[in-house]
Structure formats: structure tokens, C-alpha cells
Amino acid sequence: MEVAMKYFKTMFVNGGFKEMEISSSMLQTKEFLSPSCTYKMTSLPILTVVEHSDVSPPPATVGDGGSLPLTYFDFMWLNSLPVHHLFFYELPDVTKTYFTQTIVPNLKHSLSITLQHFFPFAGNLIVFPTDPSRKPEIRYKEGDSVAVTIAECSLDFDDLTGNHPRDCEKFYRLIPLLGKASKVSDYVSVPVFSIQVTLFPNRGVSIGMTNLHALGDASTRFGFVKAWTTIARSGTDESFRATGTLPVYDRWLINNPKLEESYLKRVNFEGFNEEYRPRSLSGPTDKVRATFVLTRSTINRLKKRVSTDFPTLGYVSSFTVACGYIWSCIGKSRNDELEAFGFAVDYRARMDPPIPAAYFGNCIGGCMVMVETSRLTGRDGFATAAKLIGEDLHKLLTEKDALVKDVFAMADNVLSNRMPTTMTGVAGTPKLKFYDIDFGWGKPKKHETISIDYNSSISLSACKESNEDLEIGVCLPANEMEAFVRIFHDGLQAFL
């Protein structure tokens, strides 16, 4: 224990967050019933912060190679919203003593070892606002660290980990904030990653993570968490090293000076100053989140419907029919004239030559489909939505230069904030098995992508019980969710 703890600079804090004030209208109970879920809005209980810590890699393990220049794939995310994830683990016998004396020290020790391999997570985003021509970078110097918050919460663990609609703001106390920016000489330094570990006495533990998107995409984040869990289970990094999944930092794999110059001009550096702090989620809010499952048999029936309606369609996948069905249900729950749907595509295997799967950073681009809402709400609304998504994805994957063109289009939309107000975005992918994230306590009881709350979007992942089934997280205003739940279940009845 003494060996592990010497890497940590710990400050204990007394007290905690007070219960937030909410309006009288928010205190009024609202309920709605559906074939599978019941929802009730309640006020938030108190969460108590037990400890603030800073966890660094072991001394002298990173060396002088602690700077990582950003590429054009990273530039488009410099002005984007942070990413928040929550993992819930059911531990019915966990006590506060066991939590503070065993679980927390082990998590810190294994995190420290993991950071020596994934040093950018402990570093800072370096931006030169007075000289935008200088390329931003992720920089690590000896002593840099990840901020770790240890907390205790009285929220209802079973309620949080259910699939029924739940008040979004209940989750916001469980995700950590990123640190404030600091002005140093001619650059601004911004922390890129933070962690919060929360105890639910005699029920379980949650691990919340927040990162700047410029740090890396979902594949990079997944690689980091998988390494952390492997090291947490064994106590050393020997088994992780043996897997051969060390991150690849070679920036020459993505080297296009012309594209970098063009992308860099699209970044808005005006907000990067000593007052800069990434946005965070807070209440009160009328948004709720719910989880929906599409089984393999249901997905196959959806595929059959699309193939029947559009027999010449060349691309019908589980992803396109799942997204098409959810998008059509969202369109029917709103009253807008125009709907847009966006999703990201991992380019690693699609670059020429291909980039290693363990490449560290962002290597994704996006597709965005726009359509009149009336086309989503008719009898053929679902099949039409799946067709539009499939056609755009097929075009991206097959046409020459489509990758670069779509990256430019997505960057223009993201960096200039020209996304439609009714944009539905997809976070995550079933290819990354987040329910395999095991710190030694078994699979998570629930995984939630909290950052979809910013834009009332959806998340997509493989299910805990079966990788063949899809789990879809949906965030919507409460009145839209009530309509969505009914539409979702009623629509599936038509395919039985």
C-alpha cells in the first residue's frame, strides 16, 4: 500500500454538496406508464465528497516524450462538448470501510500504472490562442495528474440502473468536472480527463469519467479503460503488456499538412483563455433518460421489413435498422418540420494504408442525414429512415475521397455550430464491448453515456446479456419521452 500511495497527492475535504434548489413545478410529481416502464420525478438527495486526489503515473516512467501534437481529426473536436460516461457495479456487501481501505487504494494504484502507458490522460490540452497557426497538443510533464473525486451518495442505486425513464439530473452529481484552465506564458493549459468514484453503501459503486473529445475518440477511451481494468484485476501491468494492445502514438500515420492547415483555420480559439472551462451538465432540467433493448430476433424482423420495402437497397445492417427505427420514433414524438440524424464512423481500418486499431487519438468522421419529418412519420417512416442512413453510410464507405469530404462537412457543421436544432446524434458503437469493463467485481450492472444529455441524443452499445442484442440509451424532454415510449412499443408490435 505504501508503494502505491506515494504516487498520490491527496487532500481530504470535509462536508459536501448541498441539495440543490429546484422550482416548485419540478417538485410536482409526474408519472407516466408504458408497457415496460414507470417514471416519477423527484428532488435530488445529497452527495457527499469524501476526498479529492491527484493520481500521477509512477515517477520517471513517461520520460521526455510527453507531448502529443493534435492531428486534423482532433482539430474538429476542439470546440466540442466534453464526454461523460458512468459505470455502475453492483456490490451488495460493500461497506464504507471496505470501499475506502480496499477499493479506492486499488483503483488509484492501478490507475497510476495505467497512466504510464496512457500518459495523455494525465496531461493537458495546450492551445496558443494568440497564434492560431501553432498546432495544439496534449502535453504531459512530470508531476501532471488526473483529478480523482471520491464520494458517497444516497441515491437509489436500483432506480439509477434501471431501464425505465429516470430524471437526467440525478446522474449529474456522479460525473466529475474537468479542472479550470490556466494561462502560462503564451499558451492556455486545460485538463483533459477526470474521474469520480462514488459509493452507494451496501448497494454498489459507480465510476464516472469525463474527458475532452480532443483527447481521443471512443476507441481510445475504451483502450484506456480496458487497460485499467486489466491492471486493477492483476495488480501489475504484466498481463496488459502481454496482450500487445499498447497505444500507438505515431502521428506520422495521419500526416497531411494541407488538411491540417485547412482544419486549423476552422477552429474558434477566442474562448480559450484563463477563464475557459468546458461546459458541464446541471439541473434543474425536464429531460429524462431511458434504455431500450432491440433483441436479435427483432432486429432481423426490422431488416426484413426494410429489404421488403426497398429490395434494391445495398446496405441493410443491424446498425442502420436500429438507428432508423429509433430516429423514426423520435420524429413521431416531435412536431418539428425537419429532422437530422448524425453518427460517427471509425476511419482506422479505412485509411490508406490502414491505421492500427490501437492508434491513440481521434480517427473518426461523421455522416449526417436530413429529411422532412413527414417522411419519418408516415407508414413507411422507419424503412425510409433506415434507407437514408444506409445509403449515406454506404456512400461514405465506398466512394473515393468520401472520407475526407465527409470529415470536412462534419467539421464545418461542428465548428460553426450549424447543427439543426432537431439533430439526433449517436454516441458509441456495438463494436466496443463496454459491458466487458470488469475491475474485478464482474460486469457493470449498467453503463450510461451521460453526455447525450447535451443535445437530447442517443447512445448505442451491445447488451450486457448478449452481444447480439442492442442497448439504446435515449435522452428526451419528459413530454417527448412519454410519447416516444408509447410509439416505440406500439411500433414493435407491428413486427411481431
Side-chain angles (χ1 to χ4, degrees):
M1 187 67 64
E2 292 177 357
V3 174
M5 292 300 292
K6 71 179 181 180
Y7 305 139
F8 314 132
K9 299 175 291 183
T10 303
M11 176 180 68
F12 288 90
V13 178
N14 294 322
F17 293 124
K18 293 183 178 179
E19 185 172 1
M20 63 177 292
E21 295 183 3
I22 59 179
S23 65
S24 58
S25 61
M26 289 293 291
L27 288 172
Q28 295 173 357
T29 300
K30 298 181 181 178
E31 296 181 341
F32 65 85
L33 299 176
S34 72
S36 67
C37 50
T38 302
Y39 167 64
K40 178 181 289 185
M41 297 182 70
T42 61
S43 59
L44 293 176
I46 295 174
L47 179 140
T48 302
V49 173
V50 178
E51 171 191 327
H52 286 302
S53 300
D54 297 309
V55 179
S56 301
T61 55
V62 176
D64 297 328
S67 290
L68 195 65
L70 300 190
T71 74
Y72 58 87
F73 277 115
D74 303 311
F75 293 163
M76 67 178 289
W77 301 107
L78 279 167
N79 297 129
S80 69
L81 299 163
V83 181
H84 310 290
H85 282 263
L86 262 176
F87 296 88
F88 291 93
Y89 294 88
E90 191 167 28
L91 300 167
D93 299 323
V94 63
T95 63
K96 187 171 182 178
T97 299
Y98 184 78
F99 176 71
T100 56
Q101 295 184 3
T102 302
I103 290 179
V104 170
N106 178 56
L107 288 175
K108 288 181 176 180
H109 175 58
S110 54
L111 174 61
S112 175
I113 297 173
T114 306
L115 289 173
Q116 77 180 67
H117 302 293
F118 290 82
F119 68 87
F121 278 83
N124 293 274
L125 171 66
I126 305 299
V127 178
F128 303 89
T130 59
D131 186 2
S133 64
R134 293 185 65 176
K135 188 187 301 186
E137 63 185 52
I138 304 293
R139 182 183 300 174
Y140 172 82
K141 65 180 186 299
E142 187 75 16
D144 281 347
S145 58
V146 171
V148 178
T149 301
I150 308 299
E152 182 178 347
C153 186
S154 59
L155 284 163
D156 186 334
F157 186 85
D158 291 326
D159 177 57
L160 290 171
T161 56
N163 287 348
H164 60 283
R166 292 142 293 153
D167 189 351
C168 283
E169 61 190 276
K170 287 182 178 181
F171 296 84
Y172 299 162
R173 295 296 191 188
L174 305 177
I175 54 175
L177 298 174
L178 291 171
K180 294 181 179 180
S182 59
K183 181 76 161 51
V184 182
S185 183
D186 59 342
Y187 64 84
V188 173
S189 176
V190 186
V192 295
F193 183 62
S194 60
I195 294 171
Q196 180 172 320
V197 184
T198 305
L199 169 68
F200 298 79
N202 301 310
R203 290 301 300 122
V205 170
S206 71
I207 298 180
M209 305 178 196
T210 296
N211 67 275
L212 292 182
H213 208 314
L215 173 66
D217 55 24
S219 292
T220 292
R221 186 172 57 254
F222 183 76
F224 164 79
V225 180
K226 283 290 287 184
W228 186 14
T229 57
T230 300
I231 294 168
R233 292 195 303 270
S234 65
T236 72
D237 62 353
E238 291 182 8
S239 56
F240 166 64
R241 288 176 179 272
T243 63
T245 54
L246 290 167
V248 176
Y249 292 111
D250 186 359
R251 284 322 203 217
W252 286 103
L253 294 170
I254 301 178
N255 182 37
N256 191 320
K258 184 177 293 187
L259 277 180
E260 286 189 352
E261 181 181 0
S262 179
Y263 272 52
L264 205 53
K265 292 178 180 178
R266 290 168 160 80
V267 178
N268 177 14
F269 288 102
E270 292 182 3
F272 287 100
N273 53 48
E274 58 271 22
E275 301 298 325
Y276 174 79
R277 188 159 191 169
R279 280 184 58 186
S280 59
L281 291 163
S282 62
T285 176
D286 69 335
K287 292 181 179 180
V288 295
R289 60 173 47 247
T291 305
F292 302 84
V293 174
L294 291 176
T295 64
R296 173 50 51 185
S297 60
T298 299
I299 292 169
N300 288 339
R301 287 195 292 270
L302 294 175
K303 285 183 177 181
K304 184 177 180 180
R305 172 62 180 275
V306 174
S307 297
T308 300
D309 286 4
F310 301 102
T312 61
L313 187 62
Y315 196 89
V316 182
S317 67
S318 298
F319 177 86
T320 58
V321 299
C323 290
Y325 185 70
I326 295 295
W327 188 24
S328 66
C329 290
I330 290 176
K332 293 173 184 177
S333 67
R334 291 173 172 163
N335 296 312
D336 299 308
E337 295 182 0
L338 189 67
E339 288 280 344
F341 191 87
F343 55 93
V345 178
D346 191 331
Y347 284 5
R348 286 169 174 79
R350 299 177 173 91
M351 298 290 282
D352 186 19
I355 293 172
Y359 171 80
F360 188 105
N362 287 285
C363 192
I364 56 175
C367 291
M368 187 172 72
V369 185
M370 296 184 66
V371 66
E372 297 84 1
T373 305
S374 59
R375 295 187 63 188
L376 301 178
T377 57
R379 179 185 176 277
D380 300 325
F382 147 64
T384 298
K387 172 180 179 291
L388 293 171
I389 294 171
E391 286 177 339
D392 209 52
L393 184 57
H394 183 69
K395 175 182 176 182
L396 176 68
L397 300 180
T398 57
E399 285 191 7
K400 185 179 180 181
D401 298 327
L403 295 179
V404 173
K405 291 178 182 177
D406 272 67
V407 170
F408 266 118
M410 192 70 169
D412 286 339
N413 285 318
V414 171
L415 298 180
S416 61
N417 295 315
R418 288 205 302 263
M419 292 294 190
T421 55
T422 53
M423 171 80 178
T424 300
V426 180
T429 168
K431 295 180 180 180
L432 301 177
K433 312 302 182 185
F434 279 103
Y435 277 102
D436 290 343
I437 300 300
D438 179 7
F439 285 91
W441 317 315
K443 290 185 176 183
K445 183 178 181 183
K446 197 67 183 296
H447 167 241
E448 295 279 356
T449 304
I450 306 301
S451 40
I452 66 173
D453 290 16
Y454 285 112
N455 298 313
S456 297
S457 294
I458 69 174
S459 62
L460 187 64
S461 67
C463 281
K464 175 182 178 180
E465 291 76 16
S466 170
N467 287 334
E468 293 295 306
D469 301 337
L470 294 180
E471 182 175 294
I472 300 144
V474 179
C475 172
L476 291 171
N479 63 323
E480 291 182 15
M481 182 65 80
E482 183 175 1
F484 177 89
V485 170
R486 183 184 65 256
I487 293 166
F488 178 89
H489 289 289
D490 290 349
L492 290 184
Q493 293 298 314
F495 296 100
L496 295 179

